Amino acid sequence: GGEVYHFDLPPHKGVHIMNNFERTNSAGEREVVLDFPTTTNVTAEDMNKYCMFDVLKIPFMNDPERMYRELSWDTTLRRFIFNLDTGKSTTVDLPRIWKPVDTLVEFPYINPDYRGADYCYCYFQQWHFKDMSMSLLKYDVCKLEVVQWHQDHKHVHEPVYSPNPNSVREDDGVIVAPVFDSMTNGTELYVWNATDLSVLAIYDNKVPVPLTVHGIWFDN
């Protein structure tokens, strides 16, 4: 059993963690850094009325305007810094530089070789409730830059990172995800270059795959 630390924070709502790691700051103090897509419009009604998976229910899917009105989409990528030596915490909001800004930014995925380590790149699914469009987003938490991929009627599922086995850069690899086409009712497997999100390959999935939640890459 290790030490237990307690930190008080204002209310936030989030589902999936981007990454967390331990580091030593410039004062020589130990810190734990936690990066998290969150929303701050957290009320008792908001917490009890809906959950994340309500977006997959038929009444919401048939009424995107209701989703936009009633569900939380105001995502902020938030960095929580917990100082283990002072017992104090700091919250830093990363700039919302994606377009359109009023989108749910979720399902974060990073290069698995960097889990639990200092890192720069995180990949997300973007979901615009108002018109039901989806995009792929790459966010650089070091340089505070974004790269986006979007095509009309293409709905990107959770992006999964597969690193180049001989990589020397953090974003030397590919992003893999099923993409549902709402015009043809078909699903294809897309492969993007993890550096610039250019499309490298598209594979016919043969059967339609509805919106899924999670994916994972296995080398074997």
Side-chain angles (χ1 to χ4, degrees):
E3 266 189 275
V4 176
Y5 298 85
H6 181 271
F7 298 89
D8 291 319
L9 296 168
H12 302 84
K13 185 171 72 173
V15 182
H16 301 103
I17 293 171
M18 296 160 60
N19 196 19
N20 65 284
F21 56 92
E22 190 170 336
R23 70 184 183 188
T24 301
N25 65 20
S26 58
E29 299 161 340
R30 296 171 302 148
E31 293 179 335
V32 171
V33 178
L34 171 67
D35 290 344
F36 209 169
T38 68
T39 57
T40 50
N41 59 335
V42 179
T43 64
E45 179 182 5
D46 181 56
M47 294 296 286
N48 297 325
K49 189 174 181 181
Y50 299 119
C51 77
M52 177 65 69
F53 296 102
D54 283 322
V55 301
L56 303 178
K57 294 180 178 178
I58 291 175
F60 275 115
M61 298 295 280
N62 288 337
D63 187 2
E65 287 286 348
R66 181 184 170 196
M67 294 174 66
Y68 188 75
R69 288 193 312 269
E70 299 185 22
L71 297 180
S72 298
W73 47 255
D74 62 328
T75 304
T76 298
L77 304 183
R78 216 161 245 131
R79 171 161 286 191
F80 301 96
I81 304 172
F82 305 101
N83 191 308
L84 303 183
D85 292 324
T86 66
K88 296 180 180 180
S89 63
T90 305
T91 303
V92 179
D93 287 355
L94 304 180
R96 301 167 68 195
I97 48 179
W98 53 82
K99 304 293 183 181
V101 70
D102 56 338
T103 49
L104 179 69
V105 176
E106 250 293 346
F107 295 114
Y109 214 102
I110 68 169
N111 182 332
D113 294 337
Y114 286 77
R115 288 175 185 156
D118 203 350
Y119 76 114
C120 286
Y121 306 113
C122 192
Y123 302 84
F124 300 87
Q125 177 203 67
Q126 264 186 281
W127 191 345
H128 194 255
F129 287 166
K130 195 167 188 178
D131 61 11
M132 295 302 289
S133 65
M134 292 182 181
S135 305
L136 176 63
L137 170 68
K138 175 186 180 181
Y139 198 105
D140 185 337
V141 302
C142 298
K143 296 181 179 179
L144 303 181
E145 298 174 347
V146 297
V147 180
Q148 295 176 261
W149 179 90
H150 173 81
Q151 285 188 8
D152 291 342
H153 313 297
K154 302 288 189 180
H155 305 272
V156 181
H157 300 205
E158 180 187 36
V160 173
Y161 190 101
S162 175
N164 181 338
N166 301 312
S167 64
V168 294
R169 300 191 329 272
E170 181 183 344
D171 61 348
D172 182 9
V174 297
I175 301 296
V176 181
V179 176
F180 179 75
D181 189 320
S182 57
M183 295 297 288
T184 66
N185 200 38
T187 304
E188 296 170 312
L189 184 69
Y190 273 62
V191 181
W192 295 268
N193 184 316
T195 302
D196 59 8
L197 299 190
S198 58
V199 177
L200 300 177
I202 303 173
Y203 300 95
D204 188 347
N205 203 61
K206 304 300 181 183
V207 295
V209 177
L211 182 64
T212 58
V213 178
H214 289 303
I216 192 169
W217 177 269
F218 294 98
D219 288 335
N220 298 312

